[in-house]
Amino acid sequence: MLTLATAEAFVDDVRSAMTDDDLFAALARCCGEMKVRYFALTHHVDFSNASATGLRLHNYPASWQNWFDENQLGRSDPVHRASQMSNVGFPWSALPRMIRMTPADKSVLGQARLAGIGDGFTVPAHVPGEINGSCSFAVDAGETFPRELHSVAHLIGGYAFDAARRITGTRDIWANPGQTLTDRQLDCVLWAARGKTDYEISVILNISHETVIQHLKHARERYGVRKRAMLAVRALYDGLISFADILRY
């Protein structure tokens, strides 16, 4: 049975992981020590779409992945939807309390059992500006995921996803730590994200219309984007603002 010390060893292991294969091997070792058959670390996207971007690392049966992709379940899978309702790990037995389970959802879980996948535990991964994801662990069909593994599975899942993001360069798309916004530029970007025009922003902030135009122009230059709408996307991605900030006025 996995102990906290073993989980901490896993954390040290994945911090030095350099490839997907390294991370896969580390997760496989942990699953072996937990006496848990399966793991799945994935972004919640439709991988059947050739243009989809994201990471997916798992040892589920190939028959399950094929069926999952054929039915385009990347976003609608009940475990993935429940992940959006929590920032802590949860057992799959809690799904009916977290989301409204449809007949289609029950069919998905039934199909998983037919593929050999039983009860499980999922650790959500929410990073501002990134696609939602998760790291799940599951036992064989007909078995119950051990309650005593919840805490260590939560620890392992969180660090595993973080390692995967580092290895695949998920955060490197716009990486430029030297570029940030001034407080006044950020004020203008936030009000623009709230749907205000340049003139309305000037009234709200008690500055000239031309000053607002210049602040937004310089913000676009700092971020290297051409469209005004992209400023909010970048600020959300960098964690400078949140969706709650946009809605709070």
Side-chain angles (χ1 to χ4, degrees):
M1 187 64 70
L2 191 69
T3 66
L4 183 57
T6 308
E8 290 172 344
F10 170 83
V11 172
D12 291 337
D13 206 14
V14 296
R15 280 176 172 165
S16 61
M18 300 302 295
T19 66
D20 288 357
D21 288 341
D22 293 339
L23 181 54
F24 186 99
L27 283 166
R29 284 194 297 273
C30 271
C31 281
E33 294 184 35
M34 286 192 291
K35 309 300 182 190
V36 168
R37 176 63 65 88
Y38 300 113
F39 67 84
L41 189 155
T42 182
H43 273 122
H44 299 167
V45 299
D46 177 13
F47 284 98
S48 66
N49 186 332
S51 63
T53 58
L55 60 92
R56 179 163 66 172
L57 200 64
H58 70 84
N59 67 346
Y60 283 163
S63 60
W64 168 251
Q65 177 180 310
N66 293 337
W67 186 86
F68 190 94
D69 288 347
E70 286 170 4
N71 288 273
Q72 300 178 318
L73 295 175
R75 295 181 179 178
S76 61
D77 175 78
V79 173
H80 290 182
R81 295 206 325 275
S83 294
Q84 299 180 39
M85 309 301 292
S86 177
N87 31 347
V88 296
F90 57 89
W92 293 354
S93 58
L95 289 176
R97 300 193 300 273
M98 301 175 71
I99 60 172
R100 184 176 66 84
M101 293 288 289
T102 67
D105 292 333
K106 295 174 182 177
S107 175
V108 169
L109 297 180
Q111 189 68 31
R113 287 191 293 272
L114 290 176
I117 304 168
D119 192 19
F121 185 87
T122 291
V123 182
H126 306 304
V127 180
E130 291 187 15
I131 305 166
N132 288 335
S134 61
C135 185
S136 296
F137 302 93
V139 293
D140 285 313
E143 297 182 5
T144 300
F145 194 90
R147 172 67 180 81
E148 60 269 23
L149 293 182
H150 288 187
S151 295
V152 288
H154 189 284
L155 178 64
I156 291 168
Y159 276 95
F161 201 92
D162 191 64
R165 292 172 59 247
R166 172 179 54 79
I167 291 168
T168 59
T170 301
R171 287 295 278 189
D172 294 342
I173 300 172
W174 280 325
N176 190 348
Q179 296 295 335
T180 188
L181 302 181
T182 66
D183 290 344
R184 205 43 134 181
Q185 288 167 355
L186 185 57
D187 287 338
C188 292
V189 170
L190 178 57
W191 283 106
R194 291 168 172 167
K196 299 301 182 182
T197 65
D198 292 353
Y199 175 75
E200 290 171 329
I201 295 171
S202 73
V203 173
I204 293 168
L205 298 180
N206 195 28
I207 56 179
S208 73
H209 185 196
E210 181 60 31
T211 298
V212 172
I213 293 173
Q214 289 303 311
H215 280 321
L216 292 175
K217 176 177 179 290
H218 292 154
R220 290 196 302 274
E221 290 172 350
R222 283 178 180 243
Y223 273 147
V225 298
R226 301 174 65 181
K227 294 184 178 180
R228 189 177 191 265
M230 287 298 293
L231 288 172
V233 175
R234 283 301 314 271
L236 284 164
Y237 187 87
D238 287 347
L240 297 178
I241 62 175
S242 68
F243 288 107
D245 291 328
I246 295 174
L247 297 173
R248 190 187 301 123
Y249 79 98

